[in-house]
Amino acid sequence: MIGRYAVVETLRAGRWPMDELYLDAELPDTDEVVRLASQMGVAASRVPAARLTDLCHASHHQGMAARMGAFPYRDTDWLLDAVKAASSGPPPLVVICDRIQDTHNFGAILRTCDAVAAMAVVIGHHEQAPVSPQVSRSSAGAVNHVPVVASENLAETVEQLQTAGLRIAAASEKANGEHWSAALTGPVGLIVGSEASGVSEALLQRVDCGLRIPMMGQVGSLNAAVAASVVLYEIRRQQTTGAAKSD
């Protein structure tokens, strides 16, 4: 089940099918939600607040809850066509999630991807958190606005993106170069690795460059979602200004 903010964003986007919608019987100002749900062929059921708490297994639903259908993943053919068709605005920016298992991290990555207008997020089928209500909540609804591509083979997808003209970079504490010194002004694909083990060796062997975020304190690394945010904003800065930071 997803709660109020995710319900509203999902209805406005109109992409992710909704199977059931429940509203607190005492909740005011629900006309827009009911209208959008009706457009998707979903009838809103008015129920007591206690019933929403039972459905969500939590009390922070804010008066709305929905049971979702299958998420509409895009495929790699769609992604490659989108890259080839890109002709205006900043260069394409694609994020490849390599075994991101924590739903909060995945949702936070999606939220940042929406903030920087990333073209898409690519995920694999193995050891990867799928799009779920928990991911939707953590993304603050961004999952409805950032295309999520399901790849059968991440290594193959990376090679296809390279052939399409993207420079593939990996955010890795093992990299030699700092993220602000790398040349990232053109089309870029950024790989963000597993919380436990980072980017897999199979993908590291295929990247064009590794990006290390300097750690100036006592902790050795950032969590996956925070690291992704730091690097994504640097990529967009370079794509906008046309220059890496000079030493």
Side-chain angles (χ1 to χ4, degrees):
M1 303 292 291
I2 61 174
R4 180 171 187 164
Y5 191 85
V7 166
V8 173
E9 288 297 312
T10 299
L11 288 172
R12 286 174 176 165
R15 291 181 55 242
W16 190 357
M18 185 176 291
D19 292 338
E20 298 174 329
L21 174 62
Y22 300 91
L23 304 178
D24 184 340
E26 303 299 322
L27 187 68
D29 303 323
T30 59
D31 289 351
E32 181 189 13
V33 170
V34 172
R35 177 180 59 80
L36 291 171
S38 178
Q39 290 175 357
M40 292 181 68
V42 181
S45 299
R46 298 277 184 174
V47 298
R51 174 60 175 154
L52 288 175
T53 299
D54 289 341
L55 289 168
C56 294
H57 305 291
S59 60
H60 53 266
H61 45 70
Q62 297 181 304
M64 296 183 193
R67 193 181 306 280
M68 305 306 299
F71 184 78
Y73 294 103
R74 306 291 184 112
D75 59 26
T76 52
D77 287 340
W78 173 89
L79 175 60
L80 295 172
D81 287 343
V83 169
K84 293 173 184 176
S87 58
S88 61
L93 174 55
V94 176
V95 175
I96 301 110
C97 290
D98 177 25
R99 299 165 297 133
I100 299 295
Q101 298 182 1
D102 184 276
T103 57
H104 297 288
N105 271 335
F106 186 23
I109 289 169
L110 287 165
R111 188 170 184 174
T112 300
C113 286
D114 177 65
V116 300
M119 176 176 285
V121 172
V122 182
I123 64 172
H125 289 281
H126 305 293
E127 302 181 73
Q128 168 68 43
V131 174
S132 65
Q134 292 81 6
V135 170
S136 178
R137 286 195 293 270
S138 297
S139 78
V143 71
N144 295 290
H145 306 294
V146 180
V148 181
V149 176
S151 168
E152 292 285 348
N153 187 317
L154 283 181
E156 182 178 294
T157 300
V158 163
E159 291 179 352
Q160 291 173 325
L161 289 171
Q162 287 172 314
T163 299
L166 269 67
R167 180 173 171 81
I168 302 297
S172 173
E173 61 193 69
K174 303 172 185 175
N176 294 322
E178 295 175 338
H179 70 294
W180 53 46
S181 299
L184 303 167
T185 57
V188 174
L190 174 67
I191 304 176
V192 181
S194 159
E195 299 91 345
S197 57
V199 179
S200 70
E201 192 61 34
L203 291 181
L204 283 175
Q205 291 176 0
R206 289 171 166 80
V207 303
D208 298 300
C209 65
L211 308 176
R212 177 175 55 83
I213 300 172
M215 300 299 294
M216 302 173 188
Q218 301 305 308
V219 178
S221 65
L222 298 172
N223 106 339
V226 175
S229 296
V230 170
V231 177
L232 284 170
Y233 270 97
E234 174 59 19
I235 293 171
R236 273 302 192 220
R237 185 194 69 79
Q238 289 194 31
Q239 290 179 329
T240 302
T241 64
K245 180 180 177 181
S246 59
D247 293 330

